[in-house]
Amino acid sequence: MITQPLAFVDLETTGASATKDRITEIGIVLVDADGIREWSQLVHPQMRIPLFIEQMTGISNDMVEHAPVFAEIAAEVSALLQNRLFIAHNARFDYSFLKNEFKRLGIDFKPAVLCTVKLSRTLYPQYRHHNLDSLIERHQLKAKERHRALADAQLIYQFWQHLAQSFSEAILQQTLQQLLKRSSLPSQIDPLLIHDLPETAGVYLFYGENDLPLYIGKSVNIKQRVLSHFAADHSSHKEMSLSQQTKRIDWLETSGELGALLTEAKLIKERMPVHNQRLRRKSALCAWRLEQHQEHLRPELTWADELDFGAQDNLYGLYHSQRDAIKALRGLAEQHQLCLSVLNIEKTSKGRPCFAYQLKKCRGACCGKEPALTHAARLLIAMSKLKLNSWPYPGAIAIREGEELHVLDHWCYLGTAKTDAELQTILESGRPAFDRDTYQLLSKALKKYPVIDLLKN
């Protein structure tokens, strides 16, 4: 199927976290023009092997007590894998563990990687399961034992041989080229970053020259969303520009979609990335407040630094400028035949009809043809869809998402806590300025998530 030297790799570990857990055994099947050879080694993980891992793998703490630590075999492992295609089942797991072990030693580990789970899914899309046990049963692979590194590496090689007998050379070559094709990540980004990107909810950050923030986004699947930016760079000027400028990619995982949305809005306003125009911080925020002026009800513009927007009950619309607010009010007046003179948008002499009345776009509140009370009632109806919700709680609340608590107060996002200490620190840090994007986000979130009243709890 492929002419370059191959390394079929499997690891046993103390757990599932590549940053916290360690390797207990390495098994490698090497295939090249000279034939096939095998290599395996128990590794002292420098930590206790949990009982359930012992029971699953059969590798006990006693077995690894006198085994070498990874640093003692790192040079040999590196030499074995050098210039070979790294093939593993759920390759991200094995690659991540080895990458972190080499990283601890200051060694940059960057093999070409092929995942046989993805290979199986591509070639056998009719099947739901593609774990190693499913492959053993489906393709009658011969398992000497399970959950030992060399035995599982041998099974992966058996699956490789099975594919060579089951598919034409053309199909296999096309499939391998598709899977091995370096991701559409920008050329200046390490292509193996694709194996580190998590497939969980969170926020991702693109940085340019001098670590300048370029773009901040969110997704329920960080990896999928990040790659989609660069997969479309050939057809979108914006994505092409972003692709050319991006020098570094970072991310923050969250417990779910709400945490990603809140974190994205917060980070964009803090870091002001070049390509995020919609959510960037604006200098001011204003809203209409309905006030009685003599016989007429009239909107008056008020600013966020004058009132507590989260607590007020008589505010309508949210705008970033006086111009935007007046434009919106004019549109509302035209739609509902409200009087621009009564609304104080246009000036007319007292008792005289406004220009819109002459065009039959006003019902005459300006000149006594429409009672002031009727105009006020129509104004309230017209403005009702713009009404801001006042904060429905006496103080701060929390929304639980997974293991995290998102702390909110008067439509402001205070932060996310995982412990009581973090929660206390957030509550003592004060409330940030009222923000339109966060308000709109939380207005929807409060209808979807159960709320914890922190004053009562």
Side-chain angles (χ1 to χ4, degrees):
M1 284 193 287
I2 197 165
T3 56
Q4 77 179 94
L6 310 175
F8 297 87
V9 182
D10 188 79
L11 307 178
E12 301 303 330
T13 66
T14 61
S17 172
T19 55
K20 297 178 181 177
D21 292 302
R22 304 295 288 269
I23 295 171
T24 59
E25 188 177 39
I26 303 173
I28 305 174
V29 177
L30 301 166
V31 181
D32 51 39
D34 295 328
I36 303 168
R37 60 192 176 102
E38 298 174 345
W39 182 92
S40 67
Q41 177 65 59
L42 286 169
V43 183
H44 193 301
Q46 298 177 279
M47 63 186 298
R48 295 289 296 176
I49 302 175
L51 179 60
F52 78 95
I53 295 291
E54 280 193 354
Q55 294 171 340
M56 181 176 68
T57 65
I59 301 173
S60 67
N61 286 288
D62 289 340
M63 289 172 62
V64 298
E65 183 177 357
H66 300 294
V69 299
F70 185 83
E72 296 176 87
I73 61 169
E76 185 177 5
V77 173
S78 178
L80 288 169
L81 299 177
Q82 189 172 15
N83 298 323
R84 291 179 181 269
L85 177 61
F86 183 104
I87 305 173
H89 208 65
N90 188 16
R92 183 179 176 222
F93 177 89
D94 303 270
Y95 162 77
S96 297
F97 268 90
L98 281 172
K99 181 180 180 181
N100 276 284
E101 290 286 7
F102 281 117
K103 186 178 180 180
R104 292 182 184 105
L105 302 173
I107 299 172
D108 200 13
F109 181 60
K110 292 183 178 180
V113 178
L114 176 67
C115 177
T116 48
V117 171
K118 294 181 179 179
L119 187 58
S120 178
R121 283 177 180 158
T122 304
L123 293 172
Y124 297 98
Q126 68 271 33
Y127 296 111
R128 180 178 179 183
H129 299 293
H130 299 272
N131 55 57
L132 204 49
D133 287 327
S134 296
L135 266 58
I136 291 170
E137 181 180 355
R138 187 179 304 145
H139 307 300
Q140 289 79 54
L141 307 181
K142 305 301 180 183
K144 295 181 180 178
E145 55 184 329
R146 283 288 284 115
H147 301 300
R148 288 300 299 267
L150 183 57
D152 285 353
Q154 291 167 340
L155 283 167
I156 301 167
Y157 178 48
Q158 282 186 51
F159 176 60
W160 182 267
Q161 292 175 300
H162 170 79
L163 295 178
Q165 297 169 3
S166 304
F167 293 91
S168 69
E169 183 74 17
I171 290 175
L172 291 175
Q173 287 291 353
Q174 180 182 1
T175 304
L176 290 173
Q177 287 174 9
Q178 175 187 340
L179 293 176
L180 283 172
K181 181 176 62 178
R182 296 289 186 173
S183 72
S184 52
L185 290 172
S187 59
Q188 60 272 25
I189 301 293
D190 180 358
L192 292 178
L193 181 74
I194 188 174
H195 299 291
D196 295 334
L197 289 167
E199 298 182 59
T200 54
V203 173
Y204 56 93
L205 305 93
F206 295 162
Y207 293 92
E209 292 287 353
N210 302 316
D211 237 20
L212 174 72
L214 296 176
Y215 184 80
I216 296 174
K218 51 80 179 54
S219 178
V220 294
N221 186 322
I222 294 174
K223 180 177 183 177
Q224 186 179 74
R225 185 69 187 97
V226 167
L227 295 181
S228 73
H229 279 283
F230 306 116
D233 61 4
H234 65 282
S235 58
S236 165
H237 174 73
K238 177 183 176 182
E239 300 290 25
M240 177 60 75
S241 175
L242 192 61
S243 175
Q244 292 173 337
Q245 295 178 60
T246 299
K247 307 297 182 186
R248 182 170 74 86
I249 300 173
D250 198 3
W251 59 87
L252 295 169
E253 294 182 66
T254 63
S255 288
E257 183 181 16
L258 179 59
L261 288 164
L262 290 168
T263 304
E264 178 200 34
K266 180 174 182 284
L267 288 178
I268 287 174
K269 289 173 176 63
E270 287 178 354
R271 306 193 185 183
M272 301 287 284
V274 175
H275 289 269
N276 290 92
Q277 294 296 324
R278 186 177 62 83
L279 289 178
R280 286 178 61 164
R281 185 190 301 276
K282 302 296 192 296
S283 57
L285 197 64
C286 58
W288 293 110
R289 180 171 57 172
L290 294 179
E291 297 287 347
Q292 193 71 35
H293 286 266
Q294 299 176 2
E295 74 271 26
H296 287 295
L297 189 66
R298 175 182 295 171
E300 284 195 354
L301 202 60
T302 184
W303 297 85
D305 57 0
E306 298 172 355
L307 294 174
D308 186 347
F309 271 23
Q312 295 295 316
D313 189 40
N314 183 29
L315 294 176
Y316 299 83
L318 278 174
Y319 310 98
H320 286 301
S321 69
Q322 182 175 351
R323 179 182 177 182
D324 289 344
I326 292 175
K327 181 180 178 181
L329 190 58
R330 276 185 177 275
L332 206 64
E334 183 175 345
Q335 182 181 354
H336 294 271
Q337 291 186 299
L338 298 170
C339 180
L340 294 177
S341 176
V342 171
L343 298 182
N344 203 33
I345 295 178
E346 292 183 0
K347 300 294 184 183
T348 58
S349 301
K350 187 174 181 179
R352 293 185 62 82
C354 67
F355 183 65
Y357 178 74
Q358 299 173 49
L359 298 177
K360 297 184 179 181
K361 294 183 178 180
C362 163
R363 296 184 185 179
C366 46
C367 57
K369 298 296 184 181
E370 180 182 31
L373 192 61
T374 303
H375 186 271
R378 293 197 305 109
L379 175 61
L380 281 169
I381 293 171
M383 298 283 282
S384 62
K385 291 184 179 180
L386 300 178
K387 193 174 190 302
L388 299 186
N389 296 318
S390 58
W391 184 244
Y393 302 97
I397 64 164
I399 291 177
R400 182 175 295 281
E401 188 177 37
E403 297 180 354
E404 297 180 338
L405 284 177
H406 305 306
V407 187
L408 319 167
D409 190 10
H410 286 76
W411 305 115
C412 296
Y413 170 53
L414 277 60
T416 295
K418 291 185 178 180
T419 66
D420 289 342
E422 290 176 351
L423 177 60
Q424 190 61 38
T425 299
I426 289 171
L427 290 172
E428 292 173 354
S429 64
R431 181 159 32 113
F434 183 88
D435 170 66
R436 183 175 77 168
D437 301 307
T438 305
Y439 163 78
Q440 292 172 338
L441 170 61
L442 294 180
S443 294
K444 298 176 183 178
L446 292 188
K447 299 174 184 176
K448 294 172 56 178
Y449 296 88
V451 167
I452 301 170
D453 190 334
L454 296 178
L455 288 182
K456 294 181 179 178
N457 296 274

